[in-house]
Amino acid sequence: MANGYWGKLIEVDMTTGKIEITDRHMQYVKDWIGGHSLGIKLLWEALKDNPGADPMGPDNVFMILPGVSCGVPISGAGSRYCVYTKSPLTMPKNSPYGDFAGGVCWATGGGKFGPTLRMAGYDGIYVTGVSATPKILYIDNDIVELRDATKYWGMTVTKFEEAIQADFGIDFKNTCCGPAAEEGCRYCAVLNEAGRAAGRAGGGSVMGAKKLKGVVVRGDQVIPIADPSRLKEVMDKYENVCWSSAACDWRRRWGTASALDTNSVTGGK
């Protein structure tokens, strides 16, 4: 364990059903901090010798990586998780790899799924392979299992949310793909808690191709912090700035859509 990190990554081979808890990522966390940059590094290491890997095939890796601040009481950053994989559709026009030339898929989602995964004691999920039958990844603190998901296959994300709450209880949070991803659509999002989306570049499509319907998680552990008192001091100052900002208030009230006009004018810069 290192400050801010558990030192545990859930690695799942969907083809064999094997699950390992590793520290593969810990060699990179000081130079590639957070879910965003760590995802880039791990994706590069996974595919650098196989750049023509089929994005919808067993060699592609699908990752869910909460940021190092996820689950920690930090305003504006305490809920985000990142999805990293090779995109099944976003790709350069001219490439020697043809339809397998997918670029980086990265997307972020909010809500309670990311913090709950961290509070279960893990820094992320790393999935390879393709299952022959639908599965869910079940995580309850130290218990990590692949379970049959035949009953959930074909469900919309809302129905999946309802079914998970009925089957496991409201303490379990989830993320999943929908029916379009199951059928091979290449621009599907990863959804959690029915209405939160990691929406860019087809991460949900890769989930569907791997026959991973979703991840179901419960966690109640305290995330390690190097200096809690110093963190609180810094966050008190940050929150005063944030709450007095008109821009922050606007985003809090209206969400991502509030930035559409600005991005349309500036090109997102």
Side-chain angles (χ1 to χ4, degrees):
M1 182 187 297
N3 291 322
Y5 291 96
W6 291 106
K8 295 191 292 183
L9 186 70
I10 300 172
E11 296 199 29
V12 183
D13 186 331
M14 296 295 294
T15 302
T16 65
K18 183 179 180 180
I19 297 174
E20 291 184 280
I21 309 300
T22 76
D23 62 355
R24 172 196 297 265
H25 61 305
M26 292 305 291
Q27 60 186 309
Y28 306 125
V29 296
K30 287 185 177 180
D31 294 327
W32 304 83
I33 192 168
H36 184 18
S37 59
L38 182 60
I40 285 282
K41 179 60 174 175
L42 289 174
L43 187 63
W44 168 257
E45 293 297 329
L47 298 179
K48 66 183 180 182
D49 296 325
N50 188 14
D54 181 356
M56 304 286 269
D59 293 335
N60 194 12
V61 58
F62 172 84
M63 292 174 281
I64 297 176
L65 298 169
V68 67
S69 62
C70 189
V72 177
I74 296 177
S75 297
S79 70
R80 309 303 293 184
Y81 69 92
C82 294
V83 169
Y84 268 90
T85 186
K86 182 179 181 180
S87 174
L89 193 60
T90 302
M91 61 185 69
K93 290 183 178 180
N94 299 307
S95 169
Y97 305 112
D99 291 340
F100 296 164
V104 173
C105 164
W106 78 273
T108 70
K112 297 179 180 179
F113 171 79
T116 305
L117 177 59
R118 288 270 286 151
M119 289 186 286
Y122 305 100
D123 298 323
I125 301 169
Y126 185 101
V127 182
T128 57
V130 170
S131 176
T133 58
K135 302 291 183 183
I136 60 169
L137 181 63
Y138 173 91
I139 305 166
D140 186 357
N141 289 296
D142 292 337
I143 301 171
V144 184
E145 302 171 342
L146 273 178
R147 295 187 176 186
D148 179 68
T150 302
K151 66 177 287 186
Y152 305 115
W153 201 248
M155 286 185 177
T156 65
V157 296
T158 301
K159 291 296 184 183
F160 182 77
E161 169 77 12
E162 293 170 351
I164 293 303
Q165 289 194 9
D167 291 348
F168 300 106
I170 61 174
D171 289 341
F172 281 86
K173 306 306 174 185
N174 70 83
T175 192
C176 70
C177 64
E182 298 169 8
E183 295 296 325
C185 177
R186 289 176 174 257
Y187 50 87
C188 297
V190 176
L191 275 294
N192 59 290
E193 300 155 75
R196 300 278 187 164
R200 294 182 176 89
S205 303
V206 177
M207 282 187 79
K210 291 186 177 302
K211 291 289 195 296
L212 179 62
K213 177 61 179 180
V215 180
V216 180
V217 60
R218 175 170 65 180
D220 57 12
Q221 302 179 58
V222 178
I223 296 168
I225 299 172
D227 189 341
S229 61
R230 176 60 177 153
L231 176 64
K232 184 178 184 306
E233 179 184 340
V234 172
M235 286 313 305
D236 286 345
K237 293 180 180 179
Y238 172 79
E239 285 188 357
N240 289 333
V241 173
C242 186
W243 283 107
S244 63
S245 166
C248 287
D249 181 64
W250 188 260
R251 181 61 67 90
R252 179 179 63 84
R253 290 175 181 270
W254 307 112
T256 306
S258 67
L260 288 177
D261 286 345
T262 301
N263 286 343
S264 295
V265 173
T266 64
K269 296 180 180 179

